[in-house]
Amino acid sequence: MSRDASITIPWGDGDFKFRLGWGELEELQEKTDAGPYVVLQRLHAGTWRVQDISNVIRMGLIGGGMAPDQAVKKVRYYVEQRPPMENVPHAIAVLSAGLMGAPDESLGKPRAPKRKTGKRSTTSRTGKSDLAPSTGPAQP
């Protein structure tokens, strides 16, 4: 998920970007005759309508950048010809991202990875040396 309300998830025949911006949420509201949060509650509670599922996914694909005619084809094939429960988790993920964004993103500077020093400990937990004893003269 990202702060622009988009989410990329595996669905159908690949990984797709879904986004429900303000315009898509307004159209979803018109198509489902319910506010977006009501639709989300219905999806969670199991009181959804089949149009809730198909419209969330279709509008999410369009908002994610897919052409409307392609989004309709994908929904007809991967939603309307499949058991509804198969797509409920996807619809929940898409609508949740559209309504809440992604609070887990870091807003600060990325942390630099810890550098390895390349030094090796010469003693183990038992206090004995990890290095094999030298059997010959020291090499310069």
Side-chain angles (χ1 to χ4, degrees), residues 74-91:
K74 293 276 186 197
V75 167
R76 284 185 180 153
Y77 189 78
Y78 291 109
V79 177
E80 294 173 3
Q81 293 186 26
R82 306 289 310 155
M85 289 295 293
E86 200 173 281
N87 283 288
V88 169
H90 297 96

Side-chain angles (χ1 to χ4, degrees), residues 83-126:
M85 289 295 293
E86 200 173 281
N87 283 288
V88 169
H90 297 96
I92 289 172
V94 171
L95 189 50
S96 294
L99 293 175
M100 296 176 242
D104 56 340
E105 282 186 356
S106 173
L107 294 177
K109 288 175 38 176
R111 292 184 186 177
K114 290 185 179 182
R115 292 181 14 182
K116 294 183 180 181
T117 61
K119 293 181 182 178
R120 186 174 155 197
S121 171
T122 59
T123 58
S124 67
R125 291 184 185 174
T126 62

Side-chain angles (χ1 to χ4, degrees), residues 61-62 66-76:
L61 288 168
I62 293 169
M66 186 177 285
D69 61 325
Q70 289 301 312
V72 168
K73 287 179 186 177
K74 293 276 186 197
V75 167
R76 284 185 180 153

Side-chain angles (χ1 to χ4, degrees), residues 11-137:
W11 174 81
D13 57 2
D15 290 349
F16 291 92
K17 180 179 179 181
F18 295 85
R19 180 176 183 274
L20 292 172
W22 197 267
E24 290 83 22
L25 290 171
E26 284 181 337
E27 186 168 341
L28 176 66
Q29 187 168 278
E30 290 173 16
K31 298 287 186 188
T32 59
D33 196 30
Y37 196 75
V38 171
V39 174
L40 183 61
Q41 287 177 320
R42 292 193 306 221
L43 289 167
H44 276 290
T47 58
W48 44 264
R49 301 170 183 171
V50 291
Q51 296 88 351
D52 294 343
I53 301 165
S54 60
N55 280 303
V56 166
I57 292 175
R58 182 178 60 81
M59 294 310 305
L61 288 168
I62 293 169
M66 186 177 285
D69 61 325
Q70 289 301 312
V72 168
K73 287 179 186 177
K74 293 276 186 197
V75 167
R76 284 185 180 153
Y77 189 78
Y78 291 109
V79 177
E80 294 173 3
Q81 293 186 26
R82 306 289 310 155
M85 289 295 293
E86 200 173 281
N87 283 288
V88 169
H90 297 96
I92 289 172
V94 171
L95 189 50
S96 294
L99 293 175
M100 296 176 242
D104 56 340
E105 282 186 356
S106 173
L107 294 177
K109 288 175 38 176
R111 292 184 186 177
K114 290 185 179 182
R115 292 181 14 182
K116 294 183 180 181
T117 61
K119 293 181 182 178
R120 186 174 155 197
S121 171
T122 59
T123 58
S124 67
R125 291 184 185 174
T126 62
K128 296 182 181 178
S129 175
D130 287 342
L131 300 176
S134 175
T135 58

